């Protein structure tokens, strides 16, 4: 059935019951804040407690069917924390005595998780979500299908933003939508110390310039499409890596 109250009713397999869902799952930040900027209601940066952000627009089936993405969110956070903890603990150890360590994360799941967060944050707001959506606050069918079974192809997908600013965001997520022609066509995330840009159109982008984001902090930042990994190096030697599998 199509439940008209369910955001993903275009999938056609809804159930009657609507359930509440945290916009940002507690596995990502248990009690922190989300900082949002760039909507009509928050032209300037605005922080909201995670616990107060609940959506009631998915049926129980569509809510629970995306729970693997929340599980991945938990893995992601734990992996980044382990990586950061080891970075600190090997700072004072002699370089040649440190064995190389590699952590792995599924890049496609990270892409889907960020897309789900983008939809959660932008739903019921003033812009259609995706270039081919014509309803304010609703994602296009293409984006919904992608969450369940599709794959983005270049140039759509995740870019890592490399800039000179290292923003530590253990207890908050920063999000800013990119709006072009009245539609949300991407979003910038600062998530556990890393900056990601999720790109949802066919326009080729390689640098954060004013036509992409008018954001002083990261202007000029280079964009790396589906980056293979993040390395911790000391004097040219890689001591540990997080590898994204695509
Ligand atoms: Zn549904």
């Amino acid at each position: 059935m199509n439940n008209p109250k369910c955001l993903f009713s275009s999938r056609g397999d809804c159930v009657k019951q609507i359930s509440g869902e945290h916009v940002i799952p507690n596995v990502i930040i248990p009690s922190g804040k989300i900082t949002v900027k760039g909507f009509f209601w928050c032209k300037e940066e605005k922080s909201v407690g995670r616990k107060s952000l609940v959506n009631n627009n998915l049926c129980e089936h569509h809510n629970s069917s995306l729970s693997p993405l929340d599980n991945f969110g938990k893995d992601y956070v734990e992996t980044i924390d382990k990586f950061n903890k080891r970075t600190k603990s090997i700072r004072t150890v002699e370089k040649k005595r440190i064995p190389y360590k590699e952590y792995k994360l599924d890049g496609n799941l990270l892409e889907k998780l960020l897309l789900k967060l983008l939809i959660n944050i932008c739903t019921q707001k003033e812009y259609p979500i995706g270039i081919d959506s014509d309803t304010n606050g609703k994602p296009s069918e293409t984006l919904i299908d992608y969450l369940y079974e599709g794959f983005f192809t270049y140039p759509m997908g995740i870019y890592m933003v490399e800039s000179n600013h290292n923003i530590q965001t253990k207890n908050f997520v920063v999000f800013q939508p990119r709006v072009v022609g009245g539609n949300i066509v991407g979003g910038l995330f600062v998530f556990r110390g890393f900056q990601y840009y999720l790109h949802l159109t066919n326009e080729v982008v390689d640098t954060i310039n004013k036509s992409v984001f008018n954001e002083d902090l990261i202007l000029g930042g280079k964009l790396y499409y589906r980056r293979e990994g993040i390395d911790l190096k000391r004097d040219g030697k890689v001591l540990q890596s997080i590898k994204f599998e695509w």
Side-chain angles (χ1 to χ4, degrees):
M1 70 174 268
N2 297 75
N3 185 336
K5 288 185 188 144
C6 175
L7 198 62
F8 297 164
S9 63
S10 63
R11 301 279 305 167
D13 49 353
C14 288
V15 297
K16 217 171 175 183
Q17 204 65 38
I18 291 289
S19 64
E21 187 201 21
H22 282 288
V23 169
I24 306 286
N26 66 349
V27 292
I28 291 177
I29 40 169
S31 59
K33 288 193 165 171
I34 166 164
T35 301
V36 188
K37 185 180 172 183
F39 289 102
F40 291 147
W41 53 277
C42 54
K43 282 275 178 237
E44 296 303 317
E45 212 168 271
K46 188 171 174 162
S47 291
V48 195
R50 185 199 73 84
K51 284 182 181 164
S52 66
L53 290 174
V54 178
N55 285 339
N56 286 298
N57 55 9
L58 282 184
C59 75
E60 271 182 359
H61 169 68
H62 284 126
N63 196 349
S64 64
S65 60
L66 288 176
S67 62
L69 288 183
D70 292 350
N71 296 338
F72 168 77
K74 189 167 179 269
D75 285 351
Y76 175 88
V77 165
E78 285 172 1
T79 303
I80 301 288
D81 285 355
K82 274 187 215 156
F83 183 86
N84 288 340
K85 203 172 161 195
R86 190 162 183 265
T87 299
K88 266 189 201 149
S89 74
I90 61 184
R91 199 165 282 163
T92 53
V93 181
E94 211 185 317
K95 175 178 79 189
K96 62 182 177 209
R97 300 177 55 160
I98 304 166
Y100 173 74
K101 198 164 167 62
E102 189 171 286
Y103 303 89
K104 286 193 167 82
L105 283 169
D106 186 321
N108 286 304
L109 286 179
L110 179 59
E111 214 162 66
K112 282 174 195 253
L113 176 66
L114 293 189
L115 176 60
K116 185 183 171 223
L117 295 182
L118 181 144
I119 292 173
N120 280 359
I121 298 168
C122 300
T123 184
Q124 293 167 342
K125 302 291 189 310
E126 63 270 37
Y127 304 110
I129 307 164
I131 200 90
D132 50 347
S133 167
D134 48 18
T135 313
N136 288 354
K138 287 212 164 159
S140 66
E141 278 184 38
T142 322
L143 292 184
I144 297 169
D145 288 346
Y146 173 75
L147 266 184
Y148 283 90
E149 70 230 356
F151 289 96
F152 282 133
T153 49
Y154 179 81
M156 294 187 200
I158 283 187
Y159 293 75
M160 211 161 217
V161 185
E162 194 179 271
S163 71
N164 295 326
H165 291 269
N166 181 14
I167 308 167
Q168 284 305 324
T169 55
K170 194 156 183 170
N171 289 313
F172 60 97
V173 171
V174 180
F175 175 76
Q176 195 178 342
R178 180 180 176 216
V179 182
V180 172
N183 285 54
I184 291 174
V185 298
L188 187 72
F189 292 84
V190 187
F191 180 28
R192 221 65 178 188
F194 295 103
Q195 299 173 65
Y196 299 102
Y197 169 53
L198 181 65
H199 186 52
L200 305 175
T201 73
N202 277 319
E203 171 201 0
V204 173
V205 288
D206 57 11
T207 310
I208 299 276
N209 56 38
K210 291 206 175 190
S211 72
V212 180
F213 270 103
N214 202 355
E215 177 62 65
D216 288 342
L217 262 187
I218 53 163
L219 269 183
K222 281 240 159 291
L223 292 173
Y224 293 93
Y225 185 66
R226 288 186 174 166
R227 199 168 181 170
E228 276 179 22
I230 302 157
D231 295 329
L232 172 73
K233 279 188 197 164
R234 202 196 287 169
D235 307 326
K237 187 188 171 193
V238 181
L239 302 180
Q240 59 174 352
S241 311
I242 295 174
K243 295 283 182 203
F244 292 107
E245 296 172 303
W246 296 99

